[in-house]
Amino acid sequence: MAAGLLAGGAAGAALLVGGFGYPASMVGVTGDAVSNLSPPSLAAVCFGLAQVGLALLVRAPLARLMRRPRLWAVVASANLSAMTLFLWHQSAVAVLAVAALRFGEVPGLLAAPDEPVWLPHRLAWFPVFAAVLALACLLGPEHRRLNDRVSSSA
């Protein structure tokens, strides 16, 4: 069943994007006239089904890995910052986008995704996003509260 969800969802999304003109991005992207999320499209539903299939396929192997105490501790520690990362990631994107406005259409950041080279340009921005996000998380109030809890329990 899980493999069927993954294969069927991926095939459906690929068919809708490749053959019926649905946007390749499953989220809104600067410059796209149409979004798969506003309103949710059939392509987004197919993509979601593929993700559910993948999650079901990796659940058991990941559960086995999490029985290792050291690995579980790493994941549990990272999870302490999950909400902070979620809340701050859009701020990091916004800061970079506003800073880049003075340079015009910055490839991969402010330029429309209308050429195949857009994806490598976008991927090249990920380390920059990660650095700004890490800085925001380190300076944010949640990090200070976490440090206070760790210090007081030691």
Side-chain angles (χ1 to χ4, degrees):
M1 178 178 168
L5 279 172
L6 175 57
L15 177 67
L16 290 167
V17 169
F20 292 93
Y22 283 81
S25 175
M26 294 298 137
V27 296
V29 175
T30 303
D32 272 352
V34 179
S35 170
N36 277 316
L37 293 182
S38 184
S41 70
L42 187 55
V45 172
C46 288
F47 188 71
L49 290 172
Q51 288 178 317
V52 169
L54 179 62
L56 290 171
L57 285 173
V58 301
R59 183 180 183 276
L62 289 178
R64 281 191 299 277
L65 282 173
M66 289 301 103
R67 290 187 195 117
R68 298 178 180 175
R70 285 187 182 163
L71 188 54
W72 178 87
V74 169
V75 172
S77 296
N79 193 41
L80 291 173
S81 300
M83 185 55 74
T84 302
L85 290 170
F86 173 73
L87 294 174
W88 280 102
H89 87 280
Q90 284 293 53
S91 298
V93 171
V95 164
L96 285 171
V98 168
L101 282 173
R102 67 172 53 166
F103 302 107
E105 270 195 24
V106 178
L109 185 61
L110 300 177
D114 54 3
E115 296 178 7
V117 74
W118 180 87
L119 183 59
H121 285 151
R122 184 62 157 209
L123 293 174
W125 278 100
F126 279 7
V128 181
F129 287 132
V132 173
L133 178 59
L135 182 63
C137 289
L138 285 173
L139 298 175
E142 181 64 28
H143 180 74
R144 287 193 295 275
R145 280 194 296 262
L146 178 62
N147 281 343
D148 292 344
R149 280 185 281 177
V150 170
S151 298
S152 66
S153 66

